[in-house]
Each structure stands twice: as structure tokens, then as C-alpha cells.
Amino acid sequence: MIVECAKRDLFSSQYEFLDEIGLNLSNPGFFVNGQWKGNSEEITSHSSVNNEVLGKVWRGSMTDYEKGVKACCIAAKIWMATPATMRCKIVIEIDKALEAKLKPISELVAHEVGKPLTKAIAEVTKC
């Protein structure tokens, strides 16, 4: 079951970074076979800065988990059969996409764990 996402009502630009990385007020939290899913317990994430709700994530069920493990096993075989030059190109494209979203991802980390933005940027850059 895919959870329908509620849009965040932003009257201020305080949480604009969440929209920049595609996060809504409620988000399915399990990615299997190209689809976001979540049909179990909802987890609420609060800002450590002001304790406001940043968003909610739906957990996957055990069935979702088992489907995810199977999908990963299939994907691993496909990835291993992909030529190294193609894998390198794919990883570079992923790096570029993440780098393009460095600031909003770092702002989320800063809010969730209460780090200064510069420290959050350093942490996200390491990943």
C-alpha cells in the first residue's frame, strides 16, 4: 500500500528546504522495486531547534522488508553484471544529484539533530 502524502502548508520559508528535497508532511519510508511504500507505524520527526514537527514517515511492514531484501538480491546481480565503466558513470550521476541538494539535506540534518549548519554540511559531505 502506498501512502498518499499530505502537502506541507508553508506560510513561512522556515521549512522550505523540505520541499526542495521532496519531503511532505507525511512520507512513505520504504523504497521497494521503484516505489515508495509504508503501511505500518508512523514515526514523527521533530526539529531539535524548536520541537516543531518536520514530518512523519510510515514504516514498512515485515512483508515490505522481505520484498525489499529480495529486490536487493536481484539488483545486486544486475549491478555486478554491469560493466565497471557504466557503474562509475551511474555513481558520478548520483554524486552530482546529491551535491545539488547538499544545502537542503544539510538543513534537515541540522534541524533533526541540532547541529550548526556548517557541521551538518560537513557530515552530509562525508556520506
Side-chain angles (χ1 to χ4, degrees):
M1 170 172 116
I2 297 178
V3 177
E4 190 173 314
C5 298
K7 285 287 181 193
R8 177 178 306 284
D9 187 15
L10 289 176
F11 293 112
S12 74
S13 61
Q14 182 176 7
Y15 299 121
E16 197 172 278
F17 63 90
L18 294 172
D19 290 334
E20 290 178 49
I21 53 178
L23 293 177
N24 300 303
L25 188 56
S26 184
N27 302 277
F30 204 84
F31 194 74
V32 179
N33 285 329
Q35 292 184 330
W36 285 102
K37 299 178 180 227
N39 58 8
S40 189
E41 176 188 358
E42 188 176 57
I43 302 167
T44 302
S45 176
H46 293 87
S47 170
S48 62
V49 175
N50 56 20
N51 205 34
E52 288 184 6
V53 173
L54 290 172
K56 298 176 182 187
V57 178
W58 291 89
R59 291 180 130 176
S61 66
M62 185 54 74
T63 302
D64 290 331
Y65 172 78
E66 290 168 355
K67 287 179 183 177
V69 169
K70 287 179 185 175
C72 286
C73 291
I74 293 167
K77 290 176 185 174
I78 294 168
W79 184 252
M80 287 185 277
T82 302
T85 53
M86 178 60 77
R87 291 194 314 257
C88 184
K89 288 178 183 177
I90 292 168
V91 170
I92 288 170
E93 288 303 311
I94 292 169
D95 180 62
K96 287 178 184 176
L98 289 172
E99 191 173 320
K101 299 292 185 183
L102 176 62
K103 189 165 188 280
I105 293 170
S106 299
E107 288 181 69
L108 175 59
V109 171
H111 270 273
E112 284 190 323
V113 298
K115 289 185 174 194
L117 184 57
T118 54
K119 298 275 187 192
I121 289 171
E123 181 177 329
V124 171
T125 302
K126 279 193 247 179
C127 296

